[in-house]
Each structure stands twice: as structure tokens, then as C-alpha cells.
């Protein structure tokens, strides 16, 4: 499967060696393999090890603007993969939002919760449910509502790997995503959306995207397994906004 645009990639702005290549290196690799668009989406800043520094947003914006001026064969966008930091909260503020073309959000381990209440009503229950899987049904309802609320309160363009590391019900999330024009990601490196959840989500008029979540140039646009997941779910190419309809395989 060939992508037209990879909408979820990380650079060295995901700190401490988490992202391996600079924005410019990622852009040049994207051009080399024929992508027409690239979204740089480093981790939101509430992650104490990987997160983008608040002061980096302006620098990233400048770098991307300069690269867009230099190259006319690719469009580069600045995003951030914000962390969900509590029930209905993500870690991006107006001040940072103004630098981004659009934002995505996802659930990750290791974030700093929004506040003490978020520690007790979101981080801790999900931490316990990770350790003791029989608790997962108990957190599913509030987690689902949390995704619905963040779509209601923030201008989110895409939810990354829904259902990865966290118990959710995809149907209310897909319904809200369709209403708010939020894309649901099929992320083969995380295995989410799962085939089962793609099947449930596609009952609603929601858009999907397939992304690499590359943290280095060698992983850019590599989405091995996505085609099989789509086929198993019966999801047609036309519902995935960033695949190239005429080219079946990456070279
Ligand atoms: Zn992620
Ligand atoms: Zn990511």
C-alpha cells in the first residue's frame, strides 16, 4: 500500500533520542519516496522525556515554513501528537495551537496528568487496569466519554491509534468523530484501530487514515499490515484519505 501523505511522524523534537531524524531529514526522505505530504507530529509536552518543549513550537514552525518555501514537490505540515492528560483534557494550549496546522491526540503511558483530580480519576484507574486487565471494563465507559469530550472541546483533526493501551468503546467515539470531522487512525505499528474496531467504526460516516508513526527515516510511510487489516475489516480504500488509489505496493 502506498501513501500519498504520512500524517503521523516524529522527529528529534520528540526528545532524548525518541525521534531519530531531524525535520529536514524526514522531509528529504519523504520526497525521495514520492510522498506528496508530510505531517510532523511530535509528542505533546506533558510527556516528561519525549515531549516537545514549549519553546520548540516556534522553531519547528520556522523550519517547516522554510522547507515549504524551498520545495514545491511536497507540502509539510506542523502538528503535535497531544497526550490525553485527564478526562476531557489534552496537553496543548492556545499559545501552542497558533503554531500548528492541525493537531492529533492519543493516549500514551508516562504523561503528567492535567491536575490532581486527573491523577485520581484518569491516570490511576487506567494504570491499575493496565496491571489488572479484569478492571478494564470498569474504566471503559469513562475513557470513551473522555475521547468524546476532547473532540468536543479541542480542534482535533485526528485520533492516533484509538484503543491502544486504553479500554474504549469505539462506536460512540466514531459517531462523535464523524460529527466533528475527526479522522480515526489505523496505525499498523500499534495494531490499532483493531480490525474489530474498524468494523464497528465504519458503520458511521467517519474518515480513516493509515499512518506509519515513523520515528526515523527508514520507517517513513511503512505501513506493513495495514492492507491486511483493512481487508479483514472490509474497509474500502476510498474511506482512507491518505492512500494512493492507483499504486498498490511501496517500492
Ligand atoms: Zn502515539
Ligand atoms: Zn506517534
Amino acid at each position: 500500500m502506498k501513501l500519498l501523505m504520512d500524517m503521523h511522524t516524529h522527529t528529534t523534537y520528540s526528545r532524548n533520542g525518541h525521534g531519530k531524524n531531524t525535520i529536514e531529514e524526514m522531509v528529504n526522505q519523504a520526497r525521495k519516496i514520492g510522498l506528496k505530504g508530510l505531517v510532523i507530529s511530535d509528542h505533546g509536552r506533558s510527556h516528561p522525556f519525549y515531549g516537545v518543549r514549549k519553546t520548540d513550537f516556534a522553531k519547528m514552525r520556522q523550519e517547516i515554513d522554510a522547507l515549504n518555501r524551498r520545495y514545491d514537490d511536497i507540502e509539510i505540515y506542523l502538528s503535535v501528537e497531544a497526550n490525553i492528560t485527564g478526562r476531557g483534557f489534552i496537553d496543548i494550549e492556545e499559545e501552542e495551537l497558533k503554531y500548528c496546522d492541525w493537531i492529533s491526540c492519543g493516549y500514551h503511558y508516562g504523561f503528567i496528568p492535567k491536575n490532581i483530580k486527573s491523577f485520581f480519576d484518569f491516570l490511576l484507574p487506567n494504570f491499575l487496569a493496565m496491571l489488572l486487565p479484569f478492571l478494564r471494563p470498569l474504566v471503559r465507559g469513562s475513557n470513551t466519554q473522555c475521547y468524546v469530550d476532547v473532540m468536543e472541546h479541542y480542534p482535533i483533526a485526528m485520533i492516533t491509534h484509538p484503543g491502544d493501551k486504553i479500554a474504549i468503546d469505539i462506536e460512540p467515539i466514531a459517531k462523535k468523530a464523524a460529527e466533528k470531522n475527526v479522522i480515526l487512525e489505523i496505525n499498523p505499528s500499534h495494531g490499532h484501530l483493531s480490525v474489530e474496531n474498524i468494523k464497528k467504526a465504519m458503520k458511521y460516516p467517519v474518515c480513516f487514515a493509515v499512518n506509519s508513526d515513523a520515528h526515523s527515516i527508514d520507517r517513513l510511510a511503512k505501513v506493513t499490515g495495514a492492507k491486511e487489516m483493512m481487508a479483514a475489516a472490509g474497509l474500502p480504500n476510498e474511506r482512507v484519505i491518505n492512500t494512493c488509489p492507483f499504486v498498490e505496493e511501496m517500492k
Side-chain angles (χ1 to χ4, degrees), residues 8-10 14 18 41-43 81 108 160-161 185 187 190 213-215:
H8 181 176
T9 67
H10 296 266
S14 291
H18 190 66
S41 54
D42 284 300
H43 285 290
E81 188 183 12
H108 301 94
T160 58
H161 42 73
E185 183 186 60
N187 183 320
H190 286 271
D213 201 355
H215 288 59

Side-chain angles (χ1 to χ4, degrees), residues 61-197:
R61 182 76 263 170
Q62 277 176 8
E63 281 181 40
I64 287 174
D65 288 347
L67 290 163
N68 272 324
R69 281 194 296 273
R70 195 184 311 161
Y71 302 125
D72 59 9
D73 55 349
I74 189 164
E75 294 292 331
I76 311 143
Y77 300 92
L78 176 57
S79 179
V80 61
E81 188 183 12
N83 295 289
I84 299 175
T85 54
R87 289 191 187 177
F89 299 113
I90 62 171
D91 58 354
I92 188 151
E93 289 166 11
E94 284 297 320
E95 201 184 332
E96 299 147 359
L97 202 54
K98 71 179 185 214
Y99 292 110
C100 294
D101 296 305
W102 57 285
I103 57 170
S104 60
C105 83
Y107 179 81
H108 301 94
Y109 295 142
F111 64 90
I112 298 170
K114 168 88 176 164
N115 50 35
I116 293 289
K117 183 174 179 297
S118 299
F119 176 85
F120 286 107
D121 72 7
F122 183 68
L123 188 151
L124 187 60
N126 278 299
F127 181 72
L128 293 173
M130 175 190 75
L131 296 178
L132 306 167
F134 67 89
L135 294 176
R136 286 172 67 91
L138 300 178
V139 291
R140 186 170 285 131
S142 61
N143 287 343
T144 301
Q145 190 58 44
C146 171
Y147 276 82
V148 168
D149 289 347
V150 295
M151 283 187 273
E152 193 60 57
H153 298 145
Y154 297 91
I156 290 167
M158 183 171 75
I159 294 180
T160 58
H161 42 73
D164 181 40
K165 306 180 182 75
I166 189 169
I168 54 166
D169 264 328
I170 196 64
E171 291 205 31
I173 294 171
K175 187 166 180 255
K176 178 57 82 175
E179 186 191 315
K180 302 293 265 182
N181 294 319
V182 176
I183 300 162
L184 298 183
E185 183 186 60
I186 298 168
N187 183 320
S189 59
H190 286 271
H192 291 274
L193 290 165
S194 63
V195 169
E196 187 194 346
N197 277 348

